[in-house]
């Protein structure tokens, strides 16, 4: 399989930006149960306004993440541009009968999320100089964490369906999963994990434009008593290098959670899959 992803900087440090961008790019491969094997750099660089050392640090950061993932960098392409952007094209391998799709969730499945939410909100707070060093460090830790271990575990536990949670937010990607399978996903709001500090940043108005766009687009697909609550905003937040949203049969979900706990993999049960209701998403 082939995939590509390019992002703009979320943090000031170029090496860290490179690490985040690479983790984000390989995530689509992991989400389908595949193993990333090769990658090519995709760079858009304002050479007139930034020194070459910045580019070297970005590429070094990306290479460090690829080494961690066991991926071979085989080339790339650099374009001079007014805005700095970096990402990768990634090739992954998976047997056709082992692909985990985002359109095959089944009624009765349990929903598991493997990273907390809030990276878009925190990135906005960084730009507004409203994020503390502790909040930034935690967000960076999650964005540079590969989905590799969680993906390997979900494949071993026979996941029914999966997607990575990125630019459309949790609700957006959950809606696409539900629509593809013709089911309704019921999300337990209280069970959805958030990065520390996100609730306060929402109250301070540190919301990216993408959060509002996601809400406007996906809110009509949502039913429940919390539709107009600010508590839902973080679930519309566009994520960078977010976790996996996985649907598993109850017995497989139990096995996943037990194994995740033993392996130190973050995982939270956040809902379940219902036969199709009036809406694709429910928040009771």
């Amino acid at each position: 399989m082939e995939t590509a992803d390019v992002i703009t900087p979320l943090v000031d440090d170029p090496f860290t930006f490179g690490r985040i961008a690479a983790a984000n790019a390989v995530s689509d491969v992991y989400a389908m149960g595949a193993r990333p094997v090769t990658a090519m750099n995709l760079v858009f660089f304002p050479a007139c306004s930034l020194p070459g050392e910045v580019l070297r640090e970005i590429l070094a950061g990306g290479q460090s993440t690829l080494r961690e993932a066991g991926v071979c960098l085989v080339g790339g392409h650099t374009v001079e541009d007014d805005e700095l952007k970096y990402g990768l094209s990634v090739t992954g391998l998976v047997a056709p009968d082992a692909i985990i799709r985002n359109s095959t969730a089944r009624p009765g499945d349990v929903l598991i999320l493997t990273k907390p939410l809030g990276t878009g909100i925190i990135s906005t707070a960084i730009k507004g100089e409203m994020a503390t060093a502790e909040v930034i460090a935690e967000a960076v830790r999650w964005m540079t964490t590969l989905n590799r271990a969680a993906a390997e575990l979900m494949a071993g536990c026979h996941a029914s369906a999966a997607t990575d949670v990125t630019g459309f937010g949790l609700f957006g990607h959950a809606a696409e999963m539900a629509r593809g399978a013709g089911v309704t996903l019921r999300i337990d709001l209280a069970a959805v994990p958030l990065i520390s500090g996100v609730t306060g940043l929402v109250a301070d108005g540190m919301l990216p434009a993408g959060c509002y766009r996601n809400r406007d687009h996906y809110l009509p697909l949502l039913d429940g008593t919390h539709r107009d609550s600010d508590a839902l905003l973080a679930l519309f937040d566009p994520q960078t290098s977010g976790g996996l949203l996985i649907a598993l049969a109850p017995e497989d979900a139990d096995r996943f959670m037990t194994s995740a706990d033993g392996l130190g993999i973050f995982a939270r049960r956040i809902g379940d899959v219902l036969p199709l209701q009036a809406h694709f998403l429910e928040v009771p």
Side-chain angles (χ1 to χ4, degrees):
M1 61 170 294
E2 305 284 343
T3 185
D5 213 317
V6 176
I7 62 173
T8 56
L10 296 94
V11 293
D12 294 330
D13 179 63
F15 184 86
T16 302
F17 170 50
R19 292 179 63 208
I20 292 169
N24 183 69
V26 298
S27 184
D28 282 339
V29 176
Y30 289 133
M32 296 185 68
R35 177 173 61 90
V37 291
T38 62
M40 298 184 70
N41 282 324
L42 302 173
V43 184
F44 301 81
F45 191 73
C48 294
S49 59
L50 289 176
E53 180 60 26
V54 170
L55 178 56
R56 285 191 289 272
E57 284 295 299
I58 291 170
L59 298 181
Q63 178 64 23
S64 72
T65 293
L66 293 180
R67 281 196 297 267
E68 181 184 350
V71 175
C72 179
L73 182 67
V74 296
H77 189 65
T78 303
V79 176
E80 187 168 350
D81 198 1
D82 293 335
E83 183 181 20
L84 173 62
K85 297 177 283 289
Y86 171 58
L88 301 102
S89 169
V90 184
T91 300
L93 299 177
V94 62
D97 60 355
I99 296 172
I100 300 173
R101 307 181 188 277
N102 68 351
S103 58
T104 48
R106 303 168 299 191
D109 282 348
V110 173
L111 297 173
I112 291 174
L113 182 65
T114 66
K115 286 185 186 180
L117 305 177
T119 58
I121 291 165
I122 293 171
S123 297
T124 300
I126 292 171
K127 295 172 185 175
E129 299 183 348
M130 293 286 288
T132 65
E134 292 78 13
V135 168
I136 295 171
E138 184 175 354
V140 167
R141 179 170 67 86
W142 287 116
M143 288 189 288
T144 55
T145 297
L146 293 171
N147 284 322
R148 178 179 184 174
E152 291 173 350
L153 181 57
M154 77 170 178
C157 291
H158 311 295
S160 304
T163 184
D164 59 335
V165 180
T166 51
F168 296 139
L170 175 64
F171 275 150
H173 290 282
E176 295 305 314
M177 181 184 284
R179 185 153 43 191
V183 296
T184 291
L185 270 56
R186 181 169 57 191
I187 307 294
D188 179 0
L189 181 59
V192 176
L194 304 180
I195 298 173
S196 300
V198 165
T199 300
L201 292 173
V202 169
D204 290 336
M206 294 290 106
L207 296 166
C211 184
Y212 293 111
R213 287 195 297 269
N214 287 339
R215 183 179 65 176
D216 291 345
H217 186 76
Y218 290 108
L219 191 61
L221 305 182
L222 173 66
D223 188 23
T225 57
H226 301 283
R227 289 182 86 253
D228 299 320
S229 171
D230 286 350
L232 292 186
L233 286 170
L235 282 69
F236 290 109
D237 183 40
Q239 304 300 286
T240 297
S241 189
L244 301 178
L245 177 62
I246 309 169
L248 301 109
E251 62 275 14
D252 293 326
D254 289 341
R255 187 154 55 94
F256 183 98
M257 293 299 294
T258 299
S259 298
D261 185 58
L263 294 169
I265 299 171
F266 182 93
R268 297 289 185 273
R269 298 177 190 246
I270 65 163
D272 51 7
V273 181
L274 307 175
L276 183 61
Q277 311 293 304
H279 294 74
F280 286 117
L281 300 175
E282 283 189 4
V283 180

